[in-house]
Amino acid sequence: MKKKIVVLTGAGMSVESGLRTFRDADGLWEEYPVQQVATHEGWEADPTLVTNFYNMLRKKCWGVKPNEGHKLVAALEQKYDVTVVTQNVDNLHEQAGSSKVIHLHGELMKVCSSRDVDDPRYQQTLTPDNCEIAPGTKAGDGSLLRPFIVFFGEAVPMIAAAADEAQTADIFIIIGTSLNVYPAAGLIHYVRPGTPIYLIDPNPVSAGSAVKQIQKGASEGMRELSEILMK
């Protein structure tokens, strides 16, 4: 039986693909206040603004490709049972070939009912040639179609599934996250004592003495870690 690796990824995973983070100095929150485009109150106040914002993000996302880090994570499946838990809403892990991906904060390429976000009957996956939603477009239940994104202040439905995965990991890898965003950051506490934990990030991250940090970007760090894990 293959050993199990659980990989937790954050915004730093996709930076090398050309996707700007939200929190960095030149991040998207500088141009679009979070209250306007990523909260339920913002959606209620101006659904047209929110719809157009995510249309813009989708167009940007379809223009980028997985980086080497994404591909090296996918390549771990040659030897291990790998589950990726990502805070990112892009689909770059899937594009790179990862077969099991849990999206904690939703999926940019999907839209859903604004009345019942998690009802699969009204979820739609958009395509590169049809990635925009006209403001005012309605879901099958008559409510406005909204981005399939976990807005700030909303529950994170997939956190329980992610915690279950973390509890069964033989190796736990963290890439491109400062471990400041909860509940995702709390997943490290579900890892069994004695389980190897690796953290790849170019910036120092306070994660405890049990965590081995590789202070490099996603691709360079994954190259180093892959040499260890794929022997």
Side-chain angles (χ1 to χ4, degrees):
M1 182 181 295
K2 291 181 177 180
K3 284 189 174 182
K4 181 168 187 173
I5 290 180
V6 175
V7 186
L8 172 64
T9 67
M13 185 83 231
S14 297
V15 165
E16 293 173 33
S17 291
L19 291 179
R20 292 162 62 193
T21 67
F22 284 89
R23 289 178 173 77
D24 287 346
D26 64 344
L28 288 168
W29 292 149
E30 295 295 314
E31 299 173 20
Y32 300 91
V34 59
Q35 295 84 359
Q36 289 185 1
V37 297
T39 65
H40 183 73
E41 292 76 16
W43 166 258
E44 291 286 339
D46 195 342
T48 296
L49 172 68
V50 176
T51 297
N52 286 332
F53 173 76
Y54 288 95
N55 283 339
M56 178 269 294
L57 286 188
R58 282 188 211 100
K59 286 191 287 187
K60 286 181 179 293
C61 195
W62 280 121
V64 301
K65 299 296 181 185
N67 59 56
E68 185 183 2
H70 291 107
K71 294 173 183 176
L72 288 170
V73 168
L76 292 174
E77 294 188 19
Q78 297 169 18
K79 185 175 179 181
Y80 298 93
D81 175 11
V82 182
T83 297
V84 176
V85 178
T86 187
Q87 299 172 76
N88 300 332
V89 296
D90 61 59
N91 63 354
L92 294 175
H93 280 297
E94 289 90 341
Q95 286 189 50
S98 289
S99 60
K100 289 192 288 186
V101 183
I102 295 174
H103 285 271
L104 291 179
H105 297 156
E107 298 178 60
L108 181 61
M109 299 308 164
K110 290 183 178 180
V111 289
C112 59
S113 158
S114 55
R115 182 175 300 145
D116 188 352
V117 174
D118 296 313
D119 190 330
R121 293 177 298 173
Y122 307 120
Q123 293 171 3
Q124 300 176 30
T125 300
L126 304 178
T127 59
D129 56 355
N130 183 29
C131 66
E132 293 189 61
I133 294 294
T137 303
K138 293 186 177 180
D141 63 356
S143 69
L144 287 177
L145 275 177
R146 60 159 268 187
F148 186 60
I149 299 292
V150 177
F151 289 149
F152 282 91
E154 293 182 332
V156 180
M158 297 305 294
I159 193 65
D164 288 344
E165 293 292 327
Q167 287 178 323
T168 60
D170 297 304
I171 300 169
F172 194 74
I173 303 171
I174 304 161
I175 308 173
T177 175
S178 60
L179 294 179
N180 288 327
V181 178
Y182 283 84
L187 290 173
I188 195 171
H189 301 301
Y190 288 88
V191 180
R192 293 171 296 183
T195 301
I197 302 175
Y198 298 92
L199 189 151
I200 297 171
D201 197 277
N203 302 309
V205 177
S206 178
S209 58
V211 178
K212 180 179 179 181
Q213 180 167 4
I214 299 173
Q215 203 166 332
K216 297 179 178 179
S219 294
E220 190 178 1
M222 271 305 300
R223 282 199 296 270
E224 180 175 324
L225 186 54
S226 293
E227 289 183 6
I228 297 170
L229 298 179
M230 298 299 282
K231 287 182 178 177

